Amino acid sequence: MSYSPDGQQFQPYRPQGQGPQPPYGDQYGGPYAGQQAPGRPPQGPYGGQPQAPYEQRQPYGQQPQYDQQYGDQYDYDPEPPPRKSRVRRWVIAGASVLALAGIAALVMNHFEIPPFTDKGSDVSFGQPAGGDGKKKDAGQPAPNSKMLMPTGPAAEFKNSMTLADGTHVAVTTLDGKKSGFKGKVWVWAPKEYNDPKFAKSGFPVMIALPGGAGYPNNYWMGTDLGLQTSISKWYSEGKSKPFILAMPVLNPGPDDKGIYWDGSDIPDQPKMGTWLTEDVPDLVKANFRTVKSRDGWAYMGSSTGGFASLKAVLKYPEKFKAAICSGPDIVPDSSLWKGHDKEKAENNPELLAKAMIDKKTGPDVYIAFQVGDNENNKKTLPDVQKFIATYGNKGPIHTELRVIPGGQHNAKTYVPNMGLGPIQFISKVMEGPVE
């Protein structure tokens, strides 16, 4: 027996005039003639449900079929397979899955969750390390080569971030053998370092020092300031050498209550001066092809890092040739120097510069200063100008000053302005790449 969707029993064909009889009271003249009997569902003219007007009926494939003579509803016509609708649903579902997967990948990359980021992966600069832990580059330099091969042992570098050109900022923890201090150092090499054209070349090195505490991070290692991409750009424009960057922590701890270490060996404190001028350069020499002579070694820094850069070049001119000092302090001012006047004087750039001039001999050093004319410390620019007037361009000390119009005391001011003079000033006197 067949049933319609609303449960009404199928009515067979009947001869004319013998259709189903409505119940008592629905005949002509009954008590509810022409009206709907109470408690009864709406009735069509032959006892079935009333039909909707033509324009309200369902489209083909969904319209109930009716007996031509009595209009009795008997069943649905089978619905054709909704192929287009099904394909559309699959397309929408697939697109939704892809969109969700893309969002998930971005989130996992943001929170540095493998495999959606290469952060933390091993980075080897140049050729892989050999069994003895030393870098194995193709061939050996000639005895008179200006290039220094990596001395080893190879450090374990982990990727901190990957730049658009495929180069890596990598980080390692250096246990300083000479200073006894253990801290992080970030390194970066320009894309030319891995270019076969320069496979036998030593590259110049710039040790980049931050301001403030410089702990637990060195802000130059971040890509937001654009130091790495700027070096590459300036090199392509003929303004700069293709420097390897070494970016160590500046201090051994947070700069709490104005206590900092001046990038110096303060008695009874961690030997941060030795860390910056001995251990960090040794790390770079151990892992990179560098320049043997001082002609391939420079510093740059801002604020306290500018002071440490200035002091390093003046204290060890036989090791380092140049520095870019942005918004630097000129004299040591850490409270930790109290009671150590002799050692403080040995780390005072003014006194170091005077001693170099008085000797009338010694290797030349090149110092590019840059200072904003809107620095928060209004003494910064006058102090730098006084230093240049007193010691600049006298004897072996060569200086240059760029005053940045509207420039403030921050790294975002200093980086772009390095390309407007300071980077050219030191690059002209430095060497690299060399063979």
Side-chain angles (χ1 to χ4, degrees):
M1 184 176 291
S2 177
Y3 291 87
S4 62
D6 62 359
Q8 179 180 348
Q9 185 173 343
F10 170 72
Q11 301 294 327
Y13 173 79
R14 295 177 179 85
Q16 182 70 23
Q18 296 183 17
Q21 299 298 317
Y24 175 78
D26 286 357
Q27 296 288 347
Y28 299 110
Y32 297 101
Q35 303 181 27
Q36 175 65 42
R40 292 289 307 282
Q43 298 293 307
Y46 297 100
Q49 292 185 348
Q51 297 187 46
Y54 177 80
E55 62 272 10
Q56 298 180 14
R57 295 187 184 184
Q58 302 178 34
Y60 175 77
Q62 301 178 17
Q63 177 66 34
Q65 299 288 320
Y66 291 88
D67 185 279
Q68 294 296 320
Q69 185 167 358
Y70 295 101
D72 293 330
Q73 182 178 338
Y74 63 88
D75 206 349
Y76 278 112
D77 198 26
E79 182 178 344
R83 295 181 180 176
K84 292 185 178 179
S85 298
R86 187 173 299 168
V87 170
R88 183 182 178 190
R89 287 197 298 268
W90 277 108
V91 170
I92 293 174
S96 299
V97 170
L98 290 174
L100 290 173
I103 293 172
L106 290 174
V107 171
M108 297 177 80
N109 181 66
H110 175 75
F111 288 102
E112 299 167 355
I113 303 174
F116 295 94
T117 177
D118 58 358
K119 183 171 183 178
S121 59
D122 293 334
V123 175
S124 179
F125 296 92
Q127 299 296 322
D132 59 357
K134 295 184 178 182
K135 297 283 184 180
K136 299 295 184 182
D137 290 77
Q140 292 295 321
N144 61 344
S145 173
K146 294 182 178 181
M147 185 261 283
L148 177 66
M149 289 288 290
T151 60
E156 184 180 81
F157 289 108
K158 297 294 183 181
N159 191 37
S160 179
M161 61 191 66
T162 301
L163 278 64
D165 63 359
T167 57
H168 301 285
V169 177
V171 63
T172 191
T173 298
L174 172 63
D175 190 353
K177 303 303 181 186
K178 296 176 180 177
S179 67
F181 174 71
K182 186 175 183 179
K184 289 183 177 181
V185 181
W186 289 263
V187 297
W188 173 81
K191 63 180 184 297
E192 288 77 18
Y193 186 83
N194 289 319
D195 188 334
K197 177 182 175 182
F198 296 101
K200 296 182 179 181
S201 298
F203 280 69
V205 178
M206 179 179 285
I207 299 173
L209 304 180
Y215 182 91
N217 294 319
N218 179 322
Y219 54 60
W220 296 118
M221 63 82 175
T223 56
D224 56 327
L225 297 174
L227 179 59
Q228 294 82 8
T229 53
S230 295
I231 293 290
S232 293
K233 176 177 177 290
W234 295 330
Y235 175 61
S236 69
E237 295 172 346
K239 296 178 179 180
S240 173
K241 297 295 184 183
F243 291 102
I244 293 170
L245 294 178
M247 299 160 278
V249 294
L250 179 64
N251 289 323
D255 183 2
D256 292 333
K257 299 180 181 178
I259 296 176
Y260 49 95
W261 289 259
D262 271 341
S264 305
D265 289 359
I266 300 176
D268 304 320
Q269 300 294 328
K271 295 182 177 181
M272 299 312 296
T274 301
W275 158 262
L276 296 175
T277 60
E278 296 281 348
D279 291 329
V280 173
D282 286 349
L283 170 71
V284 181
K285 291 176 184 176
N287 291 275
F288 293 88
R289 304 185 307 275
T290 56
V291 180
K292 283 181 181 178
S293 74
R294 63 186 287 274
D295 294 336
W297 292 83
Y299 280 86
M300 66 83 66
S302 57
S303 193
T304 302
F307 165 81
S309 298
L310 174 63
K311 179 173 67 72
V313 171
L314 294 174
K315 191 171 185 178
Y316 302 106
E318 72 281 3
K319 294 181 180 181
F320 310 106
K321 190 171 188 178
I324 297 176
C325 306
S326 303
D329 301 324
I330 295 298
V331 296
D333 59 357
S334 171
S335 60
L336 297 172
W337 288 113
K338 186 176 181 179
H340 305 289
D341 292 341
K342 177 179 178 295
E343 292 82 1
K344 182 179 181 180
E346 292 171 352
N347 287 275
N348 186 326
E350 291 183 336
L351 299 180
L352 292 169
K354 183 178 184 304
M356 288 185 67
I357 294 170
D358 290 346
K359 282 177 63 176
K360 299 181 180 179
T361 60
D364 289 14
V365 295
Y366 298 80
I367 304 164
F369 292 96
Q370 58 173 2
V371 184
D373 62 7
N374 193 29
E375 301 254 349
N376 56 342
N377 184 349
K378 301 307 177 184
K379 290 186 60 180
T380 301
L381 181 55
D383 286 350
V384 170
Q385 291 172 326
K386 178 183 176 183
F387 180 90
I388 293 174
T390 306
Y391 309 105
N393 300 314
K394 293 180 174 64
I397 301 175
H398 306 271
T399 59
E400 181 180 85
L401 171 62
R402 171 171 172 74
V403 178
I404 304 170
Q408 299 179 340
H409 190 75
N410 58 57
K412 289 185 177 180
T413 291
Y414 300 139
V415 171
N417 281 278
M418 282 174 58
L420 300 177
I423 197 71
Q424 294 97 318
F425 180 74
I426 69 167
S427 292
K428 286 178 182 178
V429 299
M430 297 190 68
E431 290 192 342
V434 296
E435 293 187 5

